[in-house]
């Protein structure tokens, strides 16, 4: 019996060692398969998503296989195509709107409720002697001072009146010209912009040089 028990103990230890080695091998194989079949593909999908978020609208995920991850990659590409199409369409509308604004002879500027410049056209920028990108985001008083008379002390700002009343406001400003030059007269209209709930969110100012008309009338 002692010999048989000794042999059984040896066989048991061998079986335990073999089972442990087999378990380690299986776990390693499963981990390798998970990395290659799941995690690596998810990492590539995440990398593609970050690339699109960074502005590369033409980046697409690689569709591998017909499993769940492959279906997810295909759906992701469809979503990216739809989003890219919408972004391209919006950019086209923005370019068209900018072209229309810049084609106006009158100066145009859009202000938010804090009187920060949201956008302006080239005529307005020529009037204040600045570049559109340099003006955008600044407060109106800081961006135009001292080019426009509406921001000088004691002046009744039409945009402020429009913000306060929610109604169209008109103002007329006269500026003496340089020696030998005529007086410059600007006609300003401040129009309110409302959201879907009826709240005033922006003001659009139109600056028109009416100096010649005023001289003819006089």
């Amino acid at each position: 019996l002692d010999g048989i028990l000794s042999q059984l103990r040896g066989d048991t230890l061998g079986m335990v060692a073999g089972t442990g080695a087999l378990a380690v091998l299986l776990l390693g194989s499963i981990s390798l398969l998970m990395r290659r079949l799941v995690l690596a593909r998810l990492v590539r999908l995440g990398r593609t998503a970050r690339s699109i978020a960074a502005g590369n609208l033409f980046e697409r995920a690689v569709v591998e296989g017909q499993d769940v991850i492959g279906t997810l990659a295909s759906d992701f590409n469809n979503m990216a195509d739809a989003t890219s199409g919408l972004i391209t369409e919006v950019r086209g509308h923005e370019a068209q709107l900018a072209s229309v604004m810049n084609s106006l002879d009158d100066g145009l500027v859009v202000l938010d409720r804090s009187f920060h410049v949201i956008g302006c056209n080239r005529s307005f920028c020529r009037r204040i002697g600045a570049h559109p990108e340099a003006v955008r985001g600044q407060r109106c008083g800081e961006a135009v001072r001292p080019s426009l008379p509406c921001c000088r002390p004691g002046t009744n700002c039409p945009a402020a009146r429009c913000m306060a009343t929610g109604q169209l406001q008109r103002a007329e400003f006269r500026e003496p010209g340089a020696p030998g030059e005529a007086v410059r007269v600007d006609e300003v209209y401040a129009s309110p912009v409302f959201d879907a709930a009826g709240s005033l969110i922006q003001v659009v100012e139109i600056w028109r040089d009416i100096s010649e008309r005023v001289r003819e009338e006089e």
Side-chain angles (χ1 to χ4, degrees), residues 170-172 185-189 206-210 213:
R170 179 188 177 278
E172 188 175 296
V185 184
D186 286 306
E187 184 180 50
V188 183
Y189 285 93
I206 300 292
W207 285 75
R208 177 171 297 171
D209 184 1
I210 59 171
R213 189 184 77 188

Side-chain angles (χ1 to χ4, degrees), residues 92-109:
H93 290 318
E94 288 181 348
Q96 184 178 8
L97 180 60
S99 178
V100 172
M101 290 175 57
N102 290 325
S103 66
L104 298 175
D105 292 332
D106 300 332
L108 184 147
V109 59

